[in-house]
mmCIF file of all heavy atoms in Angstrom:
data_model
loop_
_atom_site.group_PDB
_atom_site.id
_atom_site.type_symbol
_atom_site.label_atom_id
_atom_site.label_comp_id
_atom_site.label_asym_id
_atom_site.label_seq_id
_atom_site.Cartn_x
_atom_site.Cartn_y
_atom_site.Cartn_z
ATOM 1 N N SER A 91 -4.317 8.155 6.529
ATOM 2 C CA SER A 91 -3.523 6.994 6.135
ATOM 3 C C SER A 91 -4.205 5.673 6.504
ATOM 4 O O SER A 91 -4.288 4.751 5.679
ATOM 5 C CB SER A 91 -2.131 7.081 6.763
ATOM 6 O OG SER A 91 -2.218 7.409 8.139
ATOM 7 N N ALA A 92 -4.730 5.567 7.726
ATOM 8 C CA ALA A 92 -5.418 4.334 8.127
ATOM 9 C C ALA A 92 -6.821 4.263 7.544
ATOM 10 O O ALA A 92 -7.293 3.185 7.157
ATOM 11 C CB ALA A 92 -5.478 4.240 9.651
ATOM 12 N N GLY A 93 -7.506 5.402 7.462
ATOM 13 C CA GLY A 93 -8.835 5.429 6.875
ATOM 14 C C GLY A 93 -8.825 5.002 5.421
ATOM 15 O O GLY A 93 -9.767 4.354 4.941
ATOM 16 N N GLY A 94 -7.760 5.355 4.711
ATOM 17 C CA GLY A 94 -7.629 4.939 3.321
ATOM 18 C C GLY A 94 -7.494 3.433 3.187
ATOM 19 O O GLY A 94 -8.034 2.819 2.261
ATOM 20 N N MET A 95 -6.781 2.827 4.122
ATOM 21 C CA MET A 95 -6.656 1.368 4.117
ATOM 22 C C MET A 95 -8.004 0.706 4.405
ATOM 23 O O MET A 95 -8.388 -0.266 3.758
ATOM 24 C CB MET A 95 -5.625 0.933 5.156
ATOM 25 C CG MET A 95 -4.198 1.348 4.859
ATOM 26 S SD MET A 95 -3.055 0.697 6.094
ATOM 27 C CE MET A 95 -3.134 -1.059 5.740
ATOM 28 N N ARG A 96 -8.714 1.232 5.396
ATOM 29 C CA ARG A 96 -10.025 0.666 5.756
ATOM 30 C C ARG A 96 -10.994 0.765 4.576
ATOM 31 O O ARG A 96 -11.784 -0.160 4.318
ATOM 32 C CB ARG A 96 -10.584 1.437 6.940
ATOM 33 C CG ARG A 96 -11.945 0.995 7.422
ATOM 34 C CD ARG A 96 -11.806 -0.178 8.392
ATOM 35 N NE ARG A 96 -12.467 -1.366 7.916
ATOM 36 C CZ ARG A 96 -12.658 -2.437 8.680
ATOM 37 N NH1 ARG A 96 -12.240 -2.451 9.933
ATOM 38 N NH2 ARG A 96 -13.249 -3.499 8.205
ATOM 39 N N HIS A 97 -10.919 1.867 3.846
ATOM 40 C CA HIS A 97 -11.779 2.073 2.680
ATOM 41 C C HIS A 97 -11.546 0.978 1.644
ATOM 42 O O HIS A 97 -12.498 0.429 1.069
ATOM 43 C CB HIS A 97 -11.472 3.448 2.091
ATOM 44 C CG HIS A 97 -12.287 3.808 0.895
ATOM 45 N ND1 HIS A 97 -13.648 3.994 0.938
ATOM 46 C CD2 HIS A 97 -11.920 4.029 -0.400
ATOM 47 C CE1 HIS A 97 -14.096 4.320 -0.266
ATOM 48 N NE2 HIS A 97 -13.067 4.334 -1.102
ATOM 49 N N ILE A 98 -10.280 0.650 1.411
ATOM 50 C CA ILE A 98 -9.948 -0.410 0.453
ATOM 51 C C ILE A 98 -10.408 -1.767 0.978
ATOM 52 O O ILE A 98 -10.988 -2.576 0.239
ATOM 53 C CB ILE A 98 -8.432 -0.425 0.183
ATOM 54 C CG1 ILE A 98 -8.022 0.855 -0.557
ATOM 55 C CG2 ILE A 98 -8.020 -1.659 -0.622
ATOM 56 C CD1 ILE A 98 -6.526 1.064 -0.646
ATOM 57 N N GLN A 99 -10.178 -2.016 2.263
ATOM 58 C CA GLN A 99 -10.544 -3.306 2.847
ATOM 59 C C GLN A 99 -12.055 -3.534 2.806
ATOM 60 O O GLN A 99 -12.518 -4.636 2.493
ATOM 61 C CB GLN A 99 -10.035 -3.379 4.292
ATOM 62 C CG GLN A 99 -10.212 -4.728 4.951
ATOM 63 C CD GLN A 99 -9.267 -5.792 4.406
ATOM 64 O OE1 GLN A 99 -8.580 -5.563 3.416
ATOM 65 N NE2 GLN A 99 -9.253 -6.962 5.029
ATOM 66 N N ASP A 100 -12.816 -2.485 3.084
ATOM 67 C CA ASP A 100 -14.270 -2.614 3.037
ATOM 68 C C ASP A 100 -14.761 -2.875 1.614
ATOM 69 O O ASP A 100 -15.784 -3.532 1.406
ATOM 70 C CB ASP A 100 -14.927 -1.346 3.589
ATOM 71 C CG ASP A 100 -14.752 -1.204 5.091
ATOM 72 O OD1 ASP A 100 -14.413 -2.198 5.751
ATOM 73 O OD2 ASP A 100 -14.946 -0.076 5.600
ATOM 74 N N PHE A 101 -14.031 -2.347 0.633
ATOM 75 C CA PHE A 101 -14.452 -2.486 -0.756
ATOM 76 C C PHE A 101 -14.113 -3.854 -1.334
ATOM 77 O O PHE A 101 -14.925 -4.461 -2.035
ATOM 78 C CB PHE A 101 -13.788 -1.396 -1.596
ATOM 79 C CG PHE A 101 -14.222 -1.362 -3.029
ATOM 80 C CD1 PHE A 101 -15.448 -0.827 -3.393
ATOM 81 C CD2 PHE A 101 -13.412 -1.891 -4.037
ATOM 82 C CE1 PHE A 101 -15.852 -0.799 -4.724
ATOM 83 C CE2 PHE A 101 -13.811 -1.871 -5.362
ATOM 84 C CZ PHE A 101 -15.031 -1.324 -5.708
ATOM 85 N N SER A 102 -12.896 -4.361 -1.019
ATOM 86 C CA SER A 102 -12.439 -5.574 -1.707
ATOM 87 C C SER A 102 -11.777 -6.616 -0.827
ATOM 88 O O SER A 102 -11.499 -7.729 -1.296
ATOM 89 C CB SER A 102 -11.442 -5.193 -2.809
ATOM 90 O OG SER A 102 -10.222 -4.712 -2.230
ATOM 91 N N GLY A 103 -11.463 -6.273 0.436
ATOM 92 C CA GLY A 103 -10.736 -7.223 1.267
ATOM 93 C C GLY A 103 -9.305 -7.442 0.823
ATOM 94 O O GLY A 103 -8.738 -8.521 0.997
#
Side-chain angles (χ1 to χ4, degrees):
S91 47
M95 293 183 68
R96 179 85 241 191
H97 181 65
I98 293 169
Q99 187 72 351
D100 289 343
F101 184 77
S102 69

